[in-house]
Amino acid sequence: MGCVIKDHQHNISLSACKREDVSVEVAVGEAMAIRWGLDVASELQLERIVIKSDAKVVVDSVNHILKLAALEPVVLDIKSLLSSFTFSSLLFHSRNCNVQAHNLAKLAYVIGSKTWIGVYPSLENPLVVPAVVS
């Protein structure tokens, strides 16, 4: 999983990747990633968030456009987490615009779960890293 937190000027303030050793359907995995991103935002005590995901089926499920039984337990968690913020929104974001999160997800396979202040390391040189938080 990959999570990129940006400020109002779209500068990366935190990057994180998480490796989960579990096999699930793609949509369930995407929902789990959204839930994890919300957990990260909550731990950082952010009050206003906009989550962007390229998993349209999950976004539609959370936003009451679609209902899939297999996603419902994780979708309920996501809705609960979204309601804990002063302002929150979950938006569909095309895969082409979500490259950074996908790069982090790929990086998780190489280095496991890590968090960086600012920009994450490249896949070509994962050992050259900025400040690591966890």
Side-chain angles (χ1 to χ4, degrees):
M1 298 181 216
C3 177
V4 178
I5 296 179
K6 297 180 180 180
D7 62 19
H8 291 94
Q9 288 83 34
H10 301 285
N11 297 315
I12 297 175
S13 33
L14 186 126
S15 306
C17 62
K18 182 175 182 182
R19 184 174 176 172
E20 286 281 342
D21 293 323
V22 63
S23 294
V24 295
E25 294 291 323
V26 172
V28 174
E30 293 284 356
M32 290 170 59
I34 292 169
R35 180 178 60 191
W36 170 65
L38 286 165
D39 282 338
V40 170
S42 179
E43 288 173 15
L44 292 170
Q45 299 180 345
L46 300 179
E47 294 180 11
R48 301 173 54 83
I49 61 163
V50 176
I51 300 283
K52 298 179 181 178
S53 172
D54 62 7
K56 185 159 177 41
V57 68
V58 179
V59 172
D60 286 351
S61 294
V62 172
N63 291 327
H64 306 285
I65 297 169
L66 179 68
K67 187 168 184 172
L68 294 174
L71 291 178
E72 221 25 51
V74 184
V75 166
L76 289 173
D77 286 349
I78 291 169
K79 288 177 182 179
S80 176
L81 285 163
L82 284 168
S83 70
S84 70
F85 295 92
T86 303
F87 172 85
S88 63
S89 182
L90 175 62
L91 305 174
F92 173 71
H93 200 60
S94 76
R95 187 175 178 96
N96 293 340
C97 298
N98 209 15
V99 173
Q100 293 166 329
H102 282 277
N103 286 343
L104 280 160
K106 291 176 188 173
L107 190 58
Y109 285 108
V110 177
I111 64 173
S113 300
K114 299 283 182 205
T115 303
W116 298 270
I117 297 170
V119 180
Y120 56 94
S122 71
L123 287 171
E124 292 79 34
N125 195 357
L127 299 177
V128 177
V129 297
V132 176
V133 175
S134 66

